[in-house]
Amino acid sequence: MGIAVPDSLYRFWWSAYSGMPYTSEPGANKQPGSTQRRRGGEAQVEEIASLLGGFSVVLTPFNIGLMLVGILLGVIIGVLPGLGGANGVAILLPLTFTLAQQPGGTTSAIILLSCIYWGALFGGAITSILFNIPGEPWSVATTFDGHPMAKQGRADEALTAAFTSSFVGALVAVVVITFLAPVVARFALKFGPAELFAVQFLTFASFIGMGRGSPFKTLASMSLGFALAAVGLDSVTGQLRMTYGYTDLLKGFQFLVAVIGLFGIGEILLSMESGLAFSGAKAKLRLNAVLTTWAKLPRYWITSIRSCVIGCWMGITPGGATPASFMSYGLAKRMSKQGNTFGKGNIEGVVAPETAAHAAGTSALLPMITLGIPGSPTAAVLLGGLLIWGLQPGPLLFVEQKDFVWGLIASMYLGNVAGLVIVLTCVPLFAAILRIPFSIIAPTIMVICAIGAYTVNNAMFDVWLVVLFGVVGYVFNKLSYPLPPLVLALVLGDMAESSFRQAMLSSQGSLGIFWSNWLVGGIMGLGVILLFWPLIKRVLALVRRRAPAGPGFRASFRFSQRQEQSS
């Protein structure tokens, strides 16, 4: 069921865009210029009207209530170290099963989960600034200047700068999604199995080429994810794969069970081992300090724009929010006139990482809803939720599920506004959560994880699997093996295999289909470059090291030799 856009609203937007009156006669609504330009104008008008229709879907008492509940839960999850956006969404995903079965329930369910994500993005800054404990991995860079500001008695200034910068970064990313997502989706409708596999291959390769850790560990983690995704009944041949006689494995490993164990149980075990103890600055936001900080922030507009660009790029290409925050902080420190004060309480050192992290975290949803490719671990969990609800992520969502897509995009705008208001007014309450002993918080979260796993199939087998995956997640963290590639392969493994086999069938087994035209060949070529990029970087570094010295160096070397000979 699509969004019904009132005719009067369409007339208004057509007149605003084209400067010409709208009539209902066929062919009457034309502007001077090319046909392509007219089509682009009509598309933009329809997108804006669809967005307004999405606001009408979101602005119901029930959905507004879900939005507020999601943000509150998300901030709490972001405040608690050891959890995070992906973990919180994975743990609470079972709550949406019944909701998604109601008419229009999938939109309400995605609003709840996405608002949990927005809340977690905001919540990570609270512990980073007040307690010097990053609530999220991308909040590490915020501690460099945020906590020194708090120790100087400027906690309210640091918190206001962090929350406002987060809001700005997320808002810019949502605007990018609003106008870019329909374009990408329309283009992706032309994709066949070969193009889809090429995009999925590019996603896998980008994790290897752009990852911060060892590419071999990333590849090993991804390979385990592919192996887990292959367990169960082969959808093409009907043969059983790696079930070893267990009937419970006929359907394969449930994505939600694996994610709850890897992220939820695994992170809690790691946090229990480290023995958390919280102590930090007092949390209080004065209205005068908020207004004074807002008056200062426009001075850093160049930093904000640069951070938004970095964040959006790192979110769309699955670089991630954590590298975006560190990259933005490093560039801000290098280009600032007060770079020597970074790390000592410079407000610009809070603005840069928070803006980039939230822009990256939000824009990571763009490839998910347009191509079915998650740009972050949380986007991967949300993608799994869509599959569980019976939705197929990708360009057809914009055709078959307009109310869902535009309701989600509208909730991004409203969710970030509501999140900013909530965190600015309730910081002392959220900071007080850290006074609860972790010995109480950890068992509570583990019980919630077990209940969530049981509700997937109402089977104790899934609860034991959660424990097993929790141990795997703990071991991976201890050995510094990344979990996001494993989760990505678990989600996209079946899709990539299906696309590959369909392409092979259509080409009668020829791999040349992946180089048959400029589009699929370009995507595959870029994927191959990213796959071997760590090796290419090493070779380039070796070449530079062995390169012959320049003429200036050779001249000085000869001069020094003459001096030695004369002496």
Side-chain angles (χ1 to χ4, degrees):
M1 178 180 166
I3 298 172
V5 180
D7 187 60
S8 59
L9 187 61
Y10 195 90
R11 290 170 184 270
F12 170 77
W13 282 111
W14 174 264
S15 300
Y17 177 81
S18 64
M20 299 175 64
Y22 175 90
T23 68
S24 57
E25 296 178 11
N29 302 303
K30 294 184 178 180
Q31 304 175 67
S34 66
T35 304
Q36 194 171 17
R37 196 174 149 199
R38 288 196 300 273
R39 286 177 183 169
E42 291 177 1
Q44 287 189 10
V45 171
E46 187 174 354
E47 288 158 14
I48 295 173
S50 297
L51 177 61
L52 294 177
F55 279 108
S56 69
V57 172
V58 176
L59 289 174
T60 62
F62 181 67
N63 285 337
I64 291 174
L66 286 177
M67 187 186 302
L68 296 176
V69 170
I71 290 169
L72 289 170
L73 289 174
V75 175
I76 293 172
I77 289 168
V79 164
L80 292 174
L83 284 178
N87 308 338
V89 172
I91 293 170
L92 298 175
L93 184 56
L95 298 178
T96 65
F97 289 171
T98 304
L99 179 61
Q101 295 172 0
Q102 307 299 321
T106 52
T107 305
S108 300
I110 196 67
I111 288 173
L112 174 63
L113 293 181
S114 62
C115 286
I116 291 173
Y117 183 32
W118 312 143
L121 287 171
F122 279 110
I126 297 176
T127 50
S128 298
I129 292 171
L130 297 180
F131 297 89
N132 203 29
I133 301 174
E136 298 279 0
W138 53 77
S139 297
V140 173
T142 307
T143 63
F144 299 159
D145 283 276
H147 191 61
M149 289 178 70
K151 291 197 293 186
Q152 296 166 12
R154 299 159 58 203
D156 44 10
E157 183 181 348
L159 288 168
T160 302
F163 296 150
T164 308
S165 302
S166 301
F167 171 77
V168 170
L171 181 62
V172 170
V174 176
V175 172
V176 170
I177 290 174
T178 302
F179 292 100
L180 193 58
V183 177
V184 176
R186 281 195 295 271
F187 181 69
L189 283 172
K190 303 175 184 177
F191 283 12
E195 287 81 5
L196 287 174
F197 176 77
V199 171
Q200 290 152 354
F201 174 74
L202 176 62
T203 305
F204 297 136
S206 64
F207 269 83
I208 298 172
M210 299 174 64
R212 297 180 62 204
S214 166
F216 297 104
K217 289 185 176 181
T218 302
L219 188 60
S221 178
M222 195 176 291
S223 300
L224 179 59
F226 286 133
L228 294 175
V231 173
L233 193 67
D234 188 334
S235 58
V236 177
T237 63
Q239 294 181 345
L240 296 179
R241 300 188 295 193
M242 294 184 285
T243 57
Y244 305 108
Y246 287 95
T247 57
D248 293 305
L249 293 178
L250 289 177
K251 294 182 179 179
F253 289 105
Q254 294 290 331
F255 164 78
L256 183 58
V257 173
V259 169
I260 290 176
L262 291 170
F263 286 112
I265 302 294
E267 290 291 338
I268 290 299
L269 290 176
L270 202 66
S271 299
M272 290 170 64
E273 182 192 32
S274 61
L276 291 174
F278 305 126
S279 61
K282 292 183 178 180
K284 186 178 180 181
L285 283 179
R286 297 164 295 173
L287 179 60
N288 184 41
V290 171
L291 296 177
T292 304
T293 306
W294 280 349
K296 288 181 182 178
L297 290 180
R299 303 176 193 170
Y300 308 107
W301 64 273
I302 295 179
T303 301
S304 295
I305 293 175
R306 182 175 60 242
S307 300
C308 286
V309 172
I310 292 172
C312 289
W313 172 252
M314 296 296 285
I316 295 172
T317 61
T322 304
S325 64
F326 279 99
M327 187 185 301
S328 182
Y329 182 87
L331 285 175
K333 182 178 180 180
R334 186 178 304 171
M335 297 182 178
S336 175
K337 296 178 181 178
Q338 300 175 336
N340 59 337
T341 63
F342 274 61
K344 302 175 183 178
N346 190 322
I347 191 173
E348 192 175 359
V350 175
V351 171
E354 285 294 314
T355 304
H358 283 241
T362 305
S363 59
L365 297 182
L366 174 62
M368 185 202 79
I369 60 177
T370 56
L371 301 173
I373 303 294
S376 69
T378 308
V381 177
L382 291 175
L383 177 65
L386 266 63
L387 295 173
I388 291 171
W389 302 333
L391 298 176
Q392 183 60 47
L396 285 177
L397 274 181
F398 286 81
V399 178
E400 299 172 351
Q401 300 286 340
K402 276 193 171 184
D403 51 349
F404 175 85
V405 172
W406 291 105
L408 169 61
I409 294 174
S411 72
M412 295 180 189
Y413 286 98
L414 297 177
N416 279 291
V417 173
L420 178 63
V421 173
I422 288 174
V423 292
L424 283 176
T425 54
C426 303
V427 164
L429 175 63
F430 293 126
I433 295 172
L434 293 179
R435 312 297 180 191
I436 302 174
F438 197 74
S439 58
I440 296 175
I441 294 175
T444 304
I445 294 172
M446 295 184 77
V447 169
I448 293 172
C449 290
I451 294 173
Y454 183 80
T455 57
V456 175
N457 292 312
N458 294 327
M460 278 300 298
F461 181 75
D462 290 334
V463 178
W464 292 115
L465 277 182
V466 159
V467 175
L468 176 62
F469 278 114
V471 174
V472 171
Y474 170 77
V475 172
F476 267 50
N477 280 316
K478 292 293 290 183
L479 298 178
S480 300
Y481 278 79
L483 285 176
L486 190 156
V487 175
L488 179 75
L490 190 58
V491 174
L492 291 183
D494 281 339
M495 297 182 195
E497 181 189 7
S498 177
S499 299
F500 179 79
R501 293 170 80 170
Q502 288 176 17
M504 288 291 95
L505 288 172
S506 63
S507 67
Q508 299 181 350
S510 173
L511 290 173
I513 191 173
F514 298 113
W515 309 92
S516 58
N517 58 66
W518 68 270
L519 177 61
V520 66
I523 297 174
M524 286 295 293
L526 183 58
V528 170
I529 292 173
L530 283 174
L531 180 64
F532 292 101
W533 184 246
L535 180 61
I536 293 171
K537 280 199 303 185
R538 186 165 295 186
V539 171
L540 291 175
L542 190 62
V543 169
R544 287 196 200 101
R545 209 173 297 145
R546 295 185 176 182
F553 178 81
R554 286 197 297 267
S556 62
F557 180 71
R558 286 195 296 267
F559 179 74
S560 62
Q561 278 186 324
R562 289 194 202 100
Q563 280 191 323
E564 288 177 3
Q565 290 171 359
S566 62
S567 61

